[in-house]
Amino acid sequence: MRDIHTSAIVDAVKKLCMDANLDLEPDMLRAFDRALATERSPAGRQVLQTLKQNAEMARTQRIPYCQDTGFVVCFVELGQDAHVTGGALDAAINEGVRQGYTEGYLRASIVRSPFDRVNTGDNTPAVIHVDVVPGATLKLMLMAKGGGCENRSKYRMLTPAEGTSGVKEWILECVRTAGPDACPPLILGVGVGGTFEKAALLSKKALFRELGSPNPDPVVDALETELLDRANRLGIGPQGYGGDTTAFGIHILTYPCHITSLPVAVTIECHAHRHKEVTL
Amino acid sequence: MSVTTAADGIKEVAPPLSDADVESLKAGDRVRITGVLYTARDAAHGRLLPLIEKGAPLPIDVRGQIIYYTGPSPARPGSIVGSIGPTTASRMDTYVPALLGLGLKGTIGKGYRGQAVKDALRQHKGVYFGAIGGAGAVLSQFVKKLSIVAYEDLGTEAIRRLEVEAFPAIVVNDCHGGDLYQDGMKAYAREDT
C-alpha cells in the first residue's frame, strides 16, 4: 500500500483548475495553426486569429480564456494499491476546486439545486468519476467544461439495423444542431456502445485524448477521419460565420453492447477545450 | 447618425441607436461599438420579465440601447473586468420581443436566434450582433469602465453597465431578414457531404 494524503490532492486539483483555464494545452494551439493553413473564409480566419491571440492573452495576462470557466469534471484513476489518507477523496477534490476558483479569479458557475438555482459561490461541487485500476498511483484528469457547448450534447439509442451508417448520420446531425451555439470549431467526444450511462461517460472521457492523435483502433480511426472531413464540409465554420473549420476533432470510444442496442452519446466541446491531468 | 463606416470598411456603432441606424446594418457587417452596453443573461432577464408584464419601470432604460449577454469572470485586483465573452443567445429568446417593444435596439451574443426573435427584429427595427464566443480575454481589453446597476446578489449574472471602446462584433441578424449564419454556411458548404 502507498499512502497519498488528501492535502496533495487538494493542491493538485487547485493547480489543475487554474492552469486549465489560463493555459490551453499545446494540442489546441496546434489545432488553431492547422486550421489557419486550410481555412478559406476571411471571417473564419479572423476568428481563428483572435482565438490564438486569446490563448496568448490568457496565458500571459492571467485572464481566463473564456468567462465561462466551466463545470469541473474530474476523472480519477485510483490505483488499487494506493491508500488515500487524511479525509475523503471527493471532499479533497472539491476543496481543490474551491481554492482554485476563488484564488484564481475564476467564475462561480454552479447552482446548488437545478430548481432553486442559488449559486454556490465557489464553483463546487465537481462532477467526479472514480475508476479503480491496477497500481499504486492516483491519476487526476480534469476538465473545465463550458455550459454553452454542454447544452448541445445529445444521446440517442439507435437500433442495430441502423448500424454504422446510422451512427455516422446521427453524429453529423449533432454537429449541425450544435452549430454556432456551441462555439465552433468543436471537438466531439463520442461514446458508442455499453448502456445509456456508459455511452455518456465514454463520450466525456474521449475528450481527453490528444487532439490530432490517431485512435488506437484503426477501424474507429478511419471512422473518425471520415466524420471529421464530412463535418468540415458542412460550411458552419469558426463561430458559425461560414467556413471550412467546423470541428477540430471527433474522438470516439467504444464498449461492447447488448444485442438489442446501439447507444450513441455525443458530448459537444467548444474550442475552449480546457483539460489538464496529473499523476500523484 | 450613430452608425458610420470607417476607412477600413468596419462600421462604427455608438448607442443609443435609432431605427435608421439599425436599418443601415446588414448581416455580415463587421462593427466596432463604442459607448454603453448593459450586461444581462438568464437570471437578470428572469427578473425583468415580471416588471415588463406589470408595466413597472425597469432598472435600466433600454430605449436605443444594446444588451450584451454575458456573465464576466471576476476582475483581478487592479483590473476593470475579468474574461467577458458572449453566452448563448437563444436562452434569452423568449424575452427579446418584449424588450424590443420597449425600445431596445440591439443584443450581443453567440448562436442561433429563433424565428420569433427574427420576426421581432423586423417589426421593431432591432439587430443581433455576434461577438466571438470563447474570446473572453481578448474582449476584456475593450471594456474601459464597469459598474453594477442592478441585482448585485446575482453575482456574475447581475446587470452591469459597461463603457466600451471599439468593441468588435459582427451583424448576425439584421432587421431586413438577413442571417449571417445561413449565408455563411451556404457559401462554404461542400454539397458532396
Side-chain angles (χ1 to χ4, degrees):
Chain A
M1 272 300 188
R2 173 172 168 259
D3 285 352
I4 299 173
H5 197 271
T6 48
S7 61
I9 298 169
V10 172
D11 291 347
V13 170
K14 173 183 171 180
K15 184 171 181 339
L16 292 175
C17 290
M18 292 188 189
D19 289 352
N21 275 293
L22 297 172
D23 200 356
L24 280 199
E25 288 286 287
D27 61 342
M28 286 304 304
L29 302 176
R30 286 194 296 270
F32 292 140
D33 286 331
R34 275 201 304 274
L36 277 165
T38 54
E39 179 59 60
R40 291 175 298 155
S41 146
R45 296 182 61 78
Q46 199 251 332
V47 169
L48 291 165
Q49 294 284 9
T50 303
L51 296 179
K52 269 187 77 172
Q53 184 196 354
N54 194 58
E56 180 65 11
M57 273 188 76
R59 187 177 64 80
T60 56
Q61 298 187 31
R62 316 301 282 167
I63 305 169
Y65 182 88
C66 179
Q67 78 289 340
D68 178 0
T69 51
F71 202 154
V72 174
V73 179
C74 190
F75 283 90
V76 183
E77 291 179 359
L78 176 62
Q80 61 195 25
D81 297 320
H83 176 216
V84 175
T85 62
L89 173 63
D90 62 345
I93 292 170
N94 283 322
E95 180 58 24
V97 171
R98 180 177 298 115
Q99 291 183 14
Y101 275 71
T102 310
E103 295 173 31
Y105 296 91
L106 304 176
R107 193 179 83 178
S109 308
I110 306 304
V111 294
R112 67 180 182 186
S113 148
F115 299 115
D116 75 18
R117 305 198 75 84
V118 175
N119 198 303
T120 63
D122 56 14
N123 217 49
T124 63
V127 172
I128 302 168
H129 307 290
V130 182
D131 278 330
V132 177
V133 300
T137 58
L138 186 152
K139 184 176 182 187
L140 296 162
M141 301 160 74
L142 183 143
M143 185 187 315
K145 185 67 177 71
C149 49
E150 184 69 8
N151 289 347
R152 294 294 172 267
S153 298
K154 285 185 193 297
Y155 174 83
R156 204 181 137 209
M157 186 65 86
L158 279 71
T159 63
E162 288 174 280
T164 307
S165 68
V167 172
K168 289 184 199 172
E169 295 313 314
W170 165 243
I171 292 170
L172 289 169
E173 183 56 27
C174 290
V175 176
R176 275 189 212 100
T177 55
D181 292 12
C183 281
L186 307 173
I187 302 155
L188 272 71
V190 183
V192 188
T195 48
F196 175 79
E197 85 286 3
K198 182 70 179 178
L201 267 175
L202 290 175
S203 76
K204 272 287 179 310
K205 202 158 190 181
L207 289 171
F208 282 94
R209 199 178 92 217
E210 185 184 335
L211 206 55
S213 69
N215 191 301
D217 178 332
V219 174
V220 181
D221 188 61
L223 187 60
E224 288 182 359
T225 304
E226 178 194 335
L227 284 170
L228 181 60
D229 179 58
R230 291 181 63 190
N232 285 331
R233 287 168 177 272
L234 294 174
I236 295 167
Q239 286 297 309
Y241 299 163
D244 304 305
T245 320
T246 299
F248 281 145
I250 297 180
H251 290 184
I252 302 175
L253 281 175
T254 66
Y255 199 77
C257 62
H258 195 278
I259 50 174
T260 59
S261 306
L262 181 47
V264 184
V266 176
T267 291
I268 303 284
E269 173 73 315
C270 56
H271 60 76
H273 178 38
R274 294 150 297 174
H275 62 103
K276 295 278 173 187
E277 50 191 77
V278 71
T279 301
L280 302 178
Chain B
M1 285 290 281
S2 300
V3 177
T4 54
T5 304
D8 59 3
I10 297 178
K11 290 189 171 166
E12 305 281 359
V13 173
L17 303 180
S18 65
D19 285 359
D21 292 327
V22 170
E23 284 171 340
S24 72
L25 294 167
K26 306 283 185 329
D29 285 351
R30 287 177 64 187
V31 302
R32 280 186 291 258
I33 304 170
T34 298
V36 172
L37 301 176
Y38 289 101
T39 73
R41 43 169 294 158
D42 310 68
H45 278 85
R47 290 191 185 178
L48 292 176
L49 189 64
L51 298 177
I52 297 171
E53 285 170 344
K54 278 189 292 192
L58 303 184
I60 52 171
D61 182 355
V62 297
R63 286 174 298 179
Q65 300 299 323
I66 299 173
I67 288 180
Y68 181 17
Y69 301 137
T70 183
S73 68
R76 285 183 183 273
S79 298
I80 296 164
V81 68
S83 191
I84 185 161
T87 194
T88 313
S90 59
R91 295 196 314 276
M92 271 57 76
D93 275 7
T94 50
Y95 309 108
V96 170
L99 285 164
L100 291 175
L102 290 177
L104 183 75
K105 282 294 161 204
T107 57
I108 307 173
K110 53 137 171 148
Y112 296 122
R113 309 279 353 210
Q115 193 55 47
V117 170
K118 295 177 192 174
D119 293 344
L121 293 176
R122 276 175 185 255
Q123 187 191 340
H124 298 289
K125 304 293 177 204
V127 59
Y128 168 52
F129 300 100
I132 298 181
V138 163
L139 292 172
S140 72
Q141 66 190 330
F142 302 101
V143 178
K144 303 302 174 187
K145 275 190 189 167
L146 177 152
S147 58
I148 292 180
V149 293
Y151 313 144
E152 189 163 4
D153 61 298
L154 294 178
T156 185
E157 297 204 60
I159 296 181
R160 289 169 170 80
R161 181 182 187 277
L162 309 179
E163 288 182 32
V164 297
E165 257 178 48
F167 183 93
I170 193 163
V171 177
V172 174
N173 291 112
D174 63 31
C175 70
H176 311 286
D179 185 328
L180 168 64
Y181 294 143
Q182 285 176 5
D183 297 346
M185 192 164 166
K186 253 183 238 157
Y188 289 93
R190 286 170 282 166
E191 293 301 331
D192 50 335
T193 61

